[in-house]
Amino acid sequence: MSIFDLVIRNARCVTAADVFEADIGIRDGRIAALGRALAVGREEIDAAGRWVLPGGIDGHCHFDQPTGDGTRMADDFLTGTRSAACGGTTTIIPFACQQRGHSLREAVDDYHRRADGKASVDYAFHLIVSDPTPQVLAEELPALIREGYSSFKIYMTYDDLKLDDRQIIDVLAVAREHGAMVMMHAENADCIAWLTERLLAAGHTAPRYHAEARPMLVEREATHRAISYAQLVDVPILIVHVSGREAMEQIRWAQGRGMRIYGETCPQYLFLSAEDLGIDDSEAAHRRGSMCICSPPPRDKGNQEAIWDGLENGVFQVFSSDHAPFSIDDPQGKQAAGAKASFDKIPNGIPGVETRLPLLFSHGVQSGRLDICQFVALTATNVAKTYGLYPRKGSIAVGSDADLVIWDTHAPRPIRNADLHHAVDYTPYEGIEVSAWPALTLVRGQAVWRDGEFLGRPGQGQFQPCGLPAPARPKTRGRNT
Ligand code: DUC
Ligand code: ZN
Ligand code: ZN
C-alpha cells in the first residue's frame, strides 16, 4: 500500500522565502514529505516545468453578510467559495458582523449557520465590532478571541457600523490585552457626510461624485488618526483597502518609526481608476460607475503606480480582494434604490475573489514588478501569519495543509464574467488580459478546480479557528512608540 495519497512530481515550489524543485508527498490532507524520488502515490501528478504555490488566502472578502438595509449580497458561501476555488484561493476569511443592539456571539452563530455545509474551500471568520458595550469588551471579545476569532474590523465610517474615537480606543485596548489583530477601515465619516450633503444639494448625484465625496484627504486623515490611536494603546493594526499615496505615506511614516502598522491593498486600486466611476451623467456612465463604486474609491493613474510601488517595497503586507458582491441588475443589489439612484444610495463593493490572484500574477509577477516569492507572501503567507493560521496554512512545508495551486502561466485570455463562477452578473475587470490562471487547486489534497472544471463539493471546506496572530503577540520589552 502506498504511503502517499497523492504525489506531485517535479514541482517548482515557491514559498515566501524560497524557490526549490521537489516532489510533494501528500497524506491525509497534509504535506507529508518534500524531496526527490518520493515513493509512488495512489495518485500521481507530473508538474514538470510548472510553478506550484501555496493556495491563496483571501483575508478580506464579504459573503452572505447581512446588510440590514434591504440590499442583498449575490454570493453566499456556496457560490463565493466556488469562485474562490476556481481562482486559486483555498482559504477565505469573511466577516461575522455584529448588528447594533445584538451580541457578537449572535453574529458568529448566525454566520456559522450561513456557512455550514456550503463551503468548498476552508474558511475562518473575522468579527466586525459595531456595538462595543461593556459586556462585549469585557467578556464576549476575550472569549471569542480564545475560541479562534482573533481578528476584528473597526469602521471609522458608515452610519450603522462606525465607532467613535473613544470606542475605537477601547476596542484597541482589548486587542492589545488579548493579542488580537485589528483591521481598520480608515475614512473620516464627518468629512464624507459634509461633502456628500454639498454635492447632493448642488445636484451632483452621478456615481462619479462618489469619488469626490471620499477624496484622498478623508482616507489620509483617518489613517493617521488610526495610527495615532494604535500608538497610544501600543497595539499593532492593519489598515485595510488602502487606495493611494497619501494613506501609504502615513503607513510608511509609522513603519519607519518602528510601529507595528501593517497595510492591505486590493486589485481595484491597481486596475480601476476614478474614470471607471463615469466621466459624464449618461446612462452608460451611471451603469459602469455603479459597478465600480467601492470605498475607498479607485483613484487616478499616479495613485495606481504608488500602490504598485507599495506592493514592491513593503508598505503592504497583504493583498486581498475585498469581494463585496452586489449584482448590477438586481433590485436588491446595485439598483436597490433604482436605476438612476444617487451615488450615496448605491451599495458599496465590487466582486473580485476569483480574479485577485490571476490579475496579480499576470500584471505583477509576469510583468516583472514583483518576484514570485513576494507574490506568495502577499497573497498567502503573510495573510496566514497576520490572522493566526500559519504554518497550517500559507506555506509549502512538511506538516502544512496540502492547499496548493499548480499554475498555468501560458494561458492568455481576457477576463470575462461569463467564465467566472461567482453569482454576480458582472466583473469590473471585464476585458482585462491575464496570462496566468490556476490549472489545479487542491484544498487539503482534494482537487476543487482542475483544467477549467469546478470539482469542489459543498461542505468540503472546513472552519479553521485562528490562533493568535504572530504580529500581534504582546511584546515582552518596552513600548514601541
Ligand atoms: N467597502 C467596504 O468597506 N466594505 C465592503 C465594500 C466596500 O466598498
Ligand atoms: Zn472596509
Ligand atoms: Zn470590505
Side-chain angles (χ1 to χ4, degrees):
M1 216 185 66
S2 170
I3 58 166
F4 299 121
D5 302 322
L6 170 64
V7 176
I8 303 175
R9 301 269 167 210
N10 308 307
R12 284 159 74 195
C13 301
V14 187
T15 67
D18 293 303
V19 177
F20 57 94
E21 297 242 341
D23 299 340
I24 307 172
I26 295 167
R27 188 170 56 238
D28 298 331
R30 296 209 172 163
I31 298 174
L34 290 167
R36 290 291 194 185
L38 293 185
V40 174
R42 279 200 298 114
E43 199 192 335
E44 296 257 328
I45 294 173
D46 187 4
R50 297 228 170 150
W51 297 111
V52 180
L53 273 57
I57 304 175
D58 196 337
H60 185 160
C61 51
H62 305 265
F63 297 157
D64 199 11
Q65 186 178 308
T67 56
D69 62 0
T71 60
R72 186 188 68 95
M73 288 192 173
D75 281 312
D76 61 6
F77 279 81
L78 195 76
T79 60
T81 59
R82 179 179 72 197
S83 188
C86 301
T89 288
T90 50
T91 303
I92 50 128
I93 319 182
F95 298 84
C97 180
Q98 181 192 25
Q99 310 292 317
R100 291 223 177 105
H102 294 262
S103 69
L104 267 172
R105 179 71 65 183
E106 280 174 82
V108 168
D109 292 347
D110 171 64
Y111 215 43
H112 273 293
R113 282 191 293 274
R114 289 168 188 260
D116 270 355
K118 287 193 174 163
S120 52
V121 304
D122 284 351
Y123 58 98
F125 293 166
H126 306 294
L127 309 172
I128 291 174
V129 183
S130 68
D131 198 359
T133 61
Q135 149 84 5
V136 164
L137 294 171
E139 289 168 37
E140 279 208 306
L141 265 178
L144 286 165
I145 293 167
R146 283 193 297 275
E147 289 170 37
Y149 310 89
S150 56
S151 49
F152 26 94
K153 185 170 177 187
I154 294 179
Y155 284 85
M156 300 171 86
T157 187
Y158 295 136
D159 288 344
D160 52 339
L161 295 173
K162 71 173 190 234
L163 303 190
D164 66 29
D165 290 3
R166 173 58 200 260
Q167 290 174 315
I168 292 172
I169 293 166
D170 286 339
V171 175
L172 290 177
V174 174
R176 185 189 198 282
E177 193 181 338
H178 298 276
M181 176 57 75
V182 176
M183 309 161 76
M184 299 290 309
H185 180 127
E187 288 185 297
N188 181 312
D190 288 323
C191 293
I192 294 169
W194 186 76
L195 287 165
T196 301
E197 257 176 52
R198 283 164 56 104
L199 287 162
L200 296 180
H204 297 323
T205 60
R208 65 192 157 110
Y209 294 107
H210 175 73
E212 291 195 24
R214 310 176 97 99
M216 197 70 228
L217 176 156
V218 310
E219 187 181 342
R220 184 237 297 158
E221 185 282 328
T223 301
H224 185 82
R225 190 155 32 103
I227 290 169
S228 301
Y229 298 158
Q231 182 179 18
L232 177 74
V233 176
D234 188 27
V235 67
I237 56 168
L238 174 74
I239 310 286
V240 294
H241 44 51
V242 174
S243 73
R245 187 187 307 281
E246 292 185 29
M248 288 171 59
E249 285 167 354
Q250 300 301 313
I251 296 169
R252 187 46 114 194
W253 170 80
Q255 291 169 343
R257 294 184 59 141
M259 288 182 245
R260 291 173 296 167
I261 303 296
Y262 303 100
E264 175 207 73
T265 193
C266 314
Q268 47 270 42
Y269 306 116
L270 297 173
F271 297 98
L272 302 179
S273 75
E275 285 182 17
D276 289 295
L277 296 173
I279 46 173
D280 55 34
D281 292 349
S282 68
E283 225 166 88
H286 194 283
R287 189 173 170 81
R288 171 70 184 158
S290 300
M291 289 178 181
C292 297
I293 281 193
C294 59
S295 292
R299 311 280 179 197
D300 60 15
K301 295 264 177 278
N303 279 298
Q304 289 179 345
E305 281 307 313
I307 296 286
W308 277 115
D309 290 345
L311 286 168
E312 201 186 322
N313 67 26
V315 171
F316 298 116
Q317 290 68 46
V318 174
F319 185 74
S320 310
S321 70
D322 197 7
H323 181 90
F326 295 97
S327 280
I328 186 70
D329 285 320
D330 181 354
Q332 287 181 282
K334 288 282 185 184
Q335 299 198 22
K340 275 295 233 175
S342 61
F343 68 85
D344 58 315
K345 299 284 186 302
I346 299 170
N348 282 207
I350 59 173
V353 71
E354 189 167 346
T355 44
R356 172 182 74 119
L357 298 177
L359 280 168
L360 193 69
F361 200 113
S362 303
H363 294 267
V365 179
Q366 291 184 307
S367 74
R369 289 191 216 240
L370 301 175
D371 76 45
I372 197 158
C373 294
Q374 283 178 305
F375 176 87
V376 169
L378 287 160
T379 60
T381 314
N382 291 351
V383 194
K385 289 179 178 173
T386 300
Y387 300 122
L389 288 168
Y390 186 83
R392 187 176 4 135
K393 302 290 187 190
S395 192
I396 299 181
V398 173
S400 293
D401 283 354
D403 296 344
L404 298 166
V405 175
I406 301 181
W407 280 83
D408 181 353
T409 52
H410 304 284
R413 68 186 79 177
I415 291 176
R416 298 275 177 234
N417 197 54
D419 298 331
L420 301 181
H421 299 80
H422 58 200
V424 191
D425 59 4
Y426 78 96
T427 169
Y429 308 113
E430 187 81 25
I432 296 183
E433 291 286 333
V434 289
S435 40
W437 202 277
L440 174 71
T441 307
L442 298 176
V443 174
R444 283 176 283 99
Q446 303 288 314
V448 291
W449 166 255
R450 189 172 200 161
D451 299 328
E453 200 185 341
F454 174 65
L455 302 171
R457 284 173 286 106
Q460 164 178 14
Q462 293 177 356
F463 177 69
Q464 303 288 321
C466 294
L468 291 187
R473 279 194 201 115
K475 286 193 297 144
T476 46
R477 270 191 303 137
R479 287 171 68 89
N480 193 11
T481 48

